[in-house]
């Protein structure tokens, strides 16, 4: 007999639920285990939960879409492979993957400050520790496991506003939380805000930043960049060392989360990853408040729109004529006008690539050596004018 193409029972997947969790709930509808459903219902054997959630076979995803009536893209989104190229450039390690993903942007440090590493077999956000994370409140009311609990991209549940905790066991059968009840630390507001932005990237595809919305792919790479900047070698901070120390003091964790040598974020223990995520949230909060020096070319995204002065409508030359009638302006008045005009130009250059290029050519006038030209670039970085404005083209690729 030919089995029916559509399963009569198939509970709808929760938002961002993992494929293994969804299959487990479908199998429970028929009083089966998921491995039994895979073998007898789909003809698949020896597929572990980790394999299903990472990169399930395409023909299995097609079959699940037919059996449940879901869109194929919705089924694929329950696996890590469904988040290429948003969360990952690729699930296949490449020699230059780290530089491409982590060094494309800069936030806290100016470009070129960090060492460029090439960790072997590195894929962003994926670790081989196999640690199970989840929200105790979510799992108390059901056994649904979210895909993004498996990657250290968030440290808290945005629904219940509490930290994600590690556990042992299977939520459908039994679960044992590894963190003692008295060790439940309060969730900082800065971390809640940052995780809320990450959740917005996951669920909507974009993130509302103070300057303007950015694509989810940009947000994930900005966050991973900041984590790398906060764990870089102490000698690379230069004059920003005190600012970085202030970040760690603000969140109450050891400098660089206690790391003595550089390691990729993905290989660290979950406790250390949480400290780095908290420090990243504090750094974003201080940058937005304007109380932290950030020399990265993308730091402007975390700052509010500048309050650029708008003309009151007085015709050009009128103020000059009035000043001439009343008497010649003093040297202090002329200096103030010059500084005000320069401030307006700098504020516009932070927003408009055309203005940035014109101001750069003006500032570079008379430079007769490469050292003086680089000094102008350093000055632009200190003024928080994106250096990528100086070489922007119309054919830029989005993430690579």
């Amino acid at each position: 007999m030919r089995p029916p193409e559509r399963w009569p029972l198939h509970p709808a997947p929760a938002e961002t639920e993992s494929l293994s969790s969804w299959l487990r709930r479908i199998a429970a509808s028929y009083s089966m285990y998921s491995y039994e459903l895979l073998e007898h219902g789909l003809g698949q054997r020896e597929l572990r939960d980790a394999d299903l959630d990472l990169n399930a076979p395409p023909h299995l995803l097609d079959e699940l879409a037919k059996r449940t009536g879901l869109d194929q893209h919705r089924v694929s989104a329950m696996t890590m492979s469904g988040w290429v190229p948003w969360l990952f450039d690729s699930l296949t390690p490449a020699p230059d993957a780290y530089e491409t993903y982590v060094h494309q942007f800069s936030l806290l440090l100016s470009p070129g400050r960090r060492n460029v590493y090439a960790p072997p077999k590195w894929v962003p956000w994926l670790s081989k520790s196999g640690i199970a994370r989840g929200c105790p409140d979510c799992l108390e009311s059901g056994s649904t496991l979210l895909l993004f609990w498996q990657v250290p991209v968030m440290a808290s549940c945005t629904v219940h506003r509490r930290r994600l905790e590690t556990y042992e066991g299977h939520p459908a059968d039994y679960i044992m939380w590894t963190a003692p009840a008295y060790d439940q630390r309060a969730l900082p507001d800065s971390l809640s805000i940052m995780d809320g932005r990450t959740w917005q990237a996951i669920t909507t595809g974009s993130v509302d930043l103070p300057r303007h919305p950015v694509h989810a792919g940009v947000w994930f790479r900005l966050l991973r960049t900041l984590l790398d900047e906060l764990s870089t070698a102490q000698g690379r901070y230069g004059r920003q060392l005190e600012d970085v120390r202030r970040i760690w003091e603000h969140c109450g964790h050891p400098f660089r989360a206690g790391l003595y040598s550089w390691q990729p974020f993905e290989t660290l223990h979950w406790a250390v990853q949480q400290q780095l995520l908290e420090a990243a949230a504090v750094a974003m909060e201080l940058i937005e408040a304007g109380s932290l020096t950030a020399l990265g070319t993308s730091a402007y995204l975390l700052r509010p729109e500048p309050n650029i002065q708008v003309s009151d409508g007085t015709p050009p030359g009128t103020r000059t004529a009035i000043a001439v009638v009343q008497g010649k302006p003093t040297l202090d008045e002329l200096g103030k006008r010059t500084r005000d005009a320069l401030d307006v130009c700098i504020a516009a250059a932070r927003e408009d690539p055309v203005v940035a290029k014109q101001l750069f050519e003006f500032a570079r006038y008379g430079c007769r050596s490469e050292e003086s030209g680089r000094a102008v670039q350093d000055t632009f970085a200190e003024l928080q004018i994106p250096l990528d404005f100086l070489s922007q083209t119309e054919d830029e690729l989005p993430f690579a």
Side-chain angles (χ1 to χ4, degrees):
M1 295 180 61
R2 183 180 180 184
E5 291 189 0
R6 183 70 60 87
W7 285 335
L9 299 177
H10 47 273
E15 192 170 35
T16 77
E17 183 175 8
S18 66
L19 183 61
S20 62
S21 173
W22 185 49
L23 285 175
R24 191 180 300 114
R25 293 197 300 116
I26 294 177
S29 302
Y30 300 97
S31 300
M32 302 171 64
Y33 291 106
S34 58
Y35 73 88
E36 295 175 319
L37 178 67
L38 284 169
E39 181 177 354
H40 302 295
L42 297 169
Q44 298 289 326
R45 301 180 62 182
E46 299 181 356
L47 276 177
R48 302 176 303 168
D49 288 352
D51 298 328
L52 290 170
D53 295 339
L54 179 63
N55 190 13
H59 62 273
L60 175 60
L61 301 179
D62 294 340
E63 191 66 21
L64 283 172
K66 294 178 182 177
R67 297 298 181 93
T68 61
L70 284 183
D71 181 80
Q72 185 177 358
H73 295 289
R74 178 68 183 88
V75 179
S76 177
M78 288 187 270
T79 69
M80 298 297 181
S81 60
W83 287 88
V84 175
W86 285 22
L87 184 61
F88 315 100
D89 287 335
S90 172
L91 292 180
T92 303
D96 58 347
Y98 195 88
E99 180 179 4
T100 301
Y101 195 99
V102 181
H103 286 262
Q104 180 182 358
F105 300 107
S106 59
L107 283 170
L108 190 60
L109 306 179
S110 57
R113 270 287 178 184
R114 291 174 288 150
N115 291 323
V116 179
Y117 297 98
K121 299 181 180 180
W122 179 85
V123 176
W125 304 113
L126 289 184
S127 62
K128 299 180 180 180
S129 61
I131 295 178
R133 287 178 290 263
C135 170
D137 290 342
C138 289
L139 293 179
E140 184 178 356
S141 58
S143 60
T144 300
L145 300 177
L146 304 188
L147 180 68
F148 281 84
W149 286 347
Q150 300 181 21
V151 290
V153 72
M154 297 173 62
S156 66
C157 172
T158 58
V159 176
H160 299 103
R161 286 182 58 84
R162 66 174 300 174
R163 296 176 182 274
L164 298 180
E165 301 292 346
T166 58
Y167 65 88
E168 296 177 356
H170 300 280
D173 302 321
Y174 74 94
I175 187 171
M176 182 178 67
W177 297 101
T178 57
Y182 59 81
D183 193 30
Q184 303 296 328
R185 294 167 293 150
L187 184 67
D189 290 338
S190 58
L191 182 59
S192 179
I193 292 173
M194 188 181 77
D195 284 347
R197 287 171 173 169
T198 300
W199 185 250
Q200 184 186 20
I202 295 169
T203 55
T204 69
S206 65
V207 180
D208 295 326
L209 293 182
R211 186 58 58 93
H212 58 71
V214 298
H215 190 278
V218 174
W219 169 256
F220 291 129
R221 286 155 180 80
L222 287 173
L223 177 58
R224 187 60 185 82
T225 295
L226 185 54
L227 293 170
D228 187 70
E229 291 175 331
L230 289 169
S231 61
T232 197
Q234 177 175 330
R236 308 298 296 181
Y237 291 126
R239 61 181 177 177
Q240 289 178 277
L241 178 60
E242 292 305 316
D243 283 332
V244 178
R245 289 191 181 278
R246 187 154 54 93
I247 293 172
W248 288 104
E249 292 172 359
H250 192 283
C251 60
H253 295 307
F255 181 70
R256 295 180 64 216
L259 295 176
Y260 292 102
S261 60
W262 181 89
Q263 297 179 54
F265 175 76
E266 292 76 12
T267 64
L268 301 175
H269 189 273
W270 171 236
V272 180
Q273 291 176 338
Q274 288 184 90
Q275 294 181 19
L276 280 165
L277 287 170
E278 288 184 37
V282 169
M284 289 187 180
E285 180 183 50
L286 296 179
I287 293 174
E288 290 184 37
S291 57
L292 180 70
T293 303
L295 302 181
T297 57
S298 302
Y300 72 97
L301 293 171
L302 296 176
R303 300 189 184 93
E305 286 282 355
N307 185 18
I308 301 177
Q309 296 181 354
V310 180
S311 172
D312 59 3
T314 303
T318 303
R319 290 192 179 91
T320 304
I322 293 174
V324 172
V325 172
Q326 294 177 347
K328 292 184 178 181
T330 64
L331 184 61
D332 291 339
E333 291 175 341
L334 291 174
K336 183 178 184 304
R337 293 178 190 176
T338 303
R339 290 191 297 271
D340 291 344
L342 182 59
D343 289 341
V344 173
C345 290
I346 293 173
R350 291 169 179 161
E351 297 291 324
D352 193 337
V354 176
V355 177
K357 290 180 181 179
Q358 293 175 346
L359 184 60
F360 180 75
E361 294 300 327
F362 176 80
R364 199 172 57 173
Y365 181 79
C367 294
R368 301 182 181 276
S369 65
E370 293 183 1
E371 289 76 12
S372 58
R374 283 195 293 268
V376 174
Q377 286 187 335
D378 293 340
T379 303
F380 270 53
E382 293 180 2
L383 293 173
Q384 301 165 6
I385 299 175
L387 297 182
D388 53 355
F389 280 0
L390 308 181
S391 60
Q392 184 172 344
T393 63
E394 298 180 356
D395 299 323
E396 282 186 296
L397 297 176
F399 303 131

